Amino acid sequence: MAKITVQNTEVNVINVNGEDYICLTDMLHAKDGDFFITDWLRNRNTLEFIGIWEKVYNPNFNYGEFAIIRNQSGLNSFKISVKEFVARTNAISLQAKAGRYGGTYAHRDIAFEFAMWISPEFKIYIVKEFQRLKTEEQKALGWSVKRELSKINYHIHTDAIKQNLIPEEVTQAQASIIYANEADVLNVAMFGMTAKQWREAHPDRKGNIRDYATINELICLSNMENLNAIFIEQGMTQSERLVKLNQIAIHQMSVLESRNNDGKLLK
């Protein structure tokens, strides 16, 4: 469930089978006067558009029932609800939902046409806000993917520590110290501070330093975890690895930031 605000009207957006559906009931609040979705649905042009859309995207659409409904649309007495339309035609472009976020939802293609019925200006703004929503979702997805990649690579990193730096017969507490020290090698090389130093500098924040990293920093950190695992296996000392990794971090961030100036270069 997501929300967009269009000309002071809050509109819900839901995901149905991987597709975005926009709440027509919410959108209707932006139209002056007493109007109903059934007023829009009884319009022949509306039905023609929905019919063509269903033909393209819905192999199970009931064209026989649709033809009957379309032929009746010219009559003054004709009226049909979304629920009845969906039941009779097996349409997927419209959804009638009950419950907390209930209302009539339409696939974004149909919803944009409904917005034009409200007003041309409203359509322009809802398309603009919807595009902004999708851009933000893609950015969030990109950050999440990079964060998960960093976590996966960290397992490779810790395995190299376990195989090469942790002696036999140590306690779990002793092993944890070694893991934490090696994690801080990456933290200092990438962020210029240890995890403890970051927590002391940001006592009001939850999580850890990596939870607040930019996408570019996570990309660089992911690369460094793999490289540090190789350096450990090669027998490089911790101090040698720290200097080397810091140099790599500076270089990689310079390249990444030259393409996208959203983060800060490690100094």
Side-chain angles (χ1 to χ4, degrees):
M1 173 69 69
K3 293 180 183 291
I4 54 177
T5 301
V6 186
Q7 293 186 311
N8 299 318
T9 300
E10 193 172 76
V11 180
N12 285 313
V13 181
I14 62 173
N15 186 279
V16 179
N17 299 323
E19 296 289 336
D20 292 301
Y21 280 66
I22 303 174
C23 186
L24 304 188
T25 306
D26 293 339
M27 294 167 62
L28 196 60
H29 295 156
K31 191 170 180 63
D32 294 330
D34 293 329
F35 294 95
F36 304 94
I37 294 172
T38 50
D39 296 329
W40 167 76
L41 189 58
R42 68 187 299 222
N43 182 279
R44 181 178 287 271
N45 290 334
T46 297
L47 290 172
E48 290 286 357
F49 183 82
I50 292 176
I52 294 171
W53 189 95
E54 294 285 349
K55 181 179 179 179
V56 173
Y57 295 104
N58 183 8
N60 298 316
F61 189 59
N62 190 327
Y63 297 105
E65 280 295 321
F66 174 73
I68 295 173
I69 294 171
R70 181 183 56 193
N71 291 337
Q72 292 175 338
S73 63
L75 302 175
N76 291 333
S77 61
F78 171 71
K79 196 171 187 179
I80 189 169
S81 68
V82 169
K83 188 174 182 179
E84 181 185 354
F85 181 80
V86 171
R88 288 176 60 180
T89 65
N90 199 32
I92 61 173
S93 57
L94 299 170
Q95 299 264 331
K97 292 188 171 293
R100 182 180 178 184
Y101 299 106
T104 297
Y105 288 79
H107 186 277
R108 63 179 182 273
D109 297 341
I110 307 300
F112 292 153
E113 291 302 308
F114 183 79
M116 185 67 179
W117 181 68
I118 293 175
S119 77
E121 183 182 17
F122 188 82
K123 179 178 180 179
I124 290 173
Y125 279 106
I126 197 168
V127 170
K128 181 175 181 289
E129 284 302 305
F130 181 80
Q131 290 173 337
R132 180 192 59 76
L133 172 67
K134 303 315 292 183
T135 298
E136 290 181 355
E137 287 181 351
Q138 287 300 316
K139 287 181 179 179
L141 178 62
W143 189 93
S144 178
V145 169
K146 297 301 188 301
R147 186 71 175 99
E148 290 303 312
L149 177 62
S150 178
K151 290 179 181 178
I152 292 170
N153 285 334
Y154 192 67
H155 287 299
I156 298 174
H157 181 232
T158 55
D159 185 67
I161 295 170
K162 180 179 179 180
Q163 296 297 326
N164 297 277
L165 298 181
I166 300 179
E168 296 294 333
E169 301 299 330
V170 298
T171 66
Q172 185 62 44
Q174 290 171 322
S176 296
I177 293 173
I178 295 175
Y179 283 128
N181 287 340
E182 282 302 318
D184 272 336
V185 169
L186 297 175
N187 289 335
V188 173
M190 182 68 244
F191 305 110
M193 66 182 72
T194 65
K196 180 180 180 181
Q197 289 171 334
W198 182 86
R199 287 193 300 271
E200 291 174 346
H202 304 89
D204 57 326
R205 294 189 181 182
K206 297 181 179 180
N208 60 58
I209 189 172
R210 301 182 188 202
D211 293 324
Y212 296 88
T214 66
I215 291 178
N216 284 349
E217 287 170 338
L218 289 174
I219 293 172
C220 185
L221 187 62
S222 176
N223 294 335
M224 288 167 57
E225 284 171 338
N226 284 325
L227 289 171
N228 195 37
I230 294 172
F231 295 159
I232 290 172
E233 291 172 355
Q234 291 176 346
M236 292 177 62
T237 66
Q238 190 178 85
S239 59
E240 290 173 331
R241 285 185 282 110
L242 176 58
V243 172
K244 186 69 174 178
L245 290 168
N246 181 247
Q247 293 172 345
I248 292 171
I250 293 172
H251 174 70
Q252 290 194 1
M253 286 298 292
S254 297
V255 173
L256 292 170
E257 293 299 324
S258 68
R259 298 171 61 88
N260 181 358
N261 195 30
D262 287 339
K264 295 181 179 179
L265 181 63
L266 174 65
K267 300 296 184 180

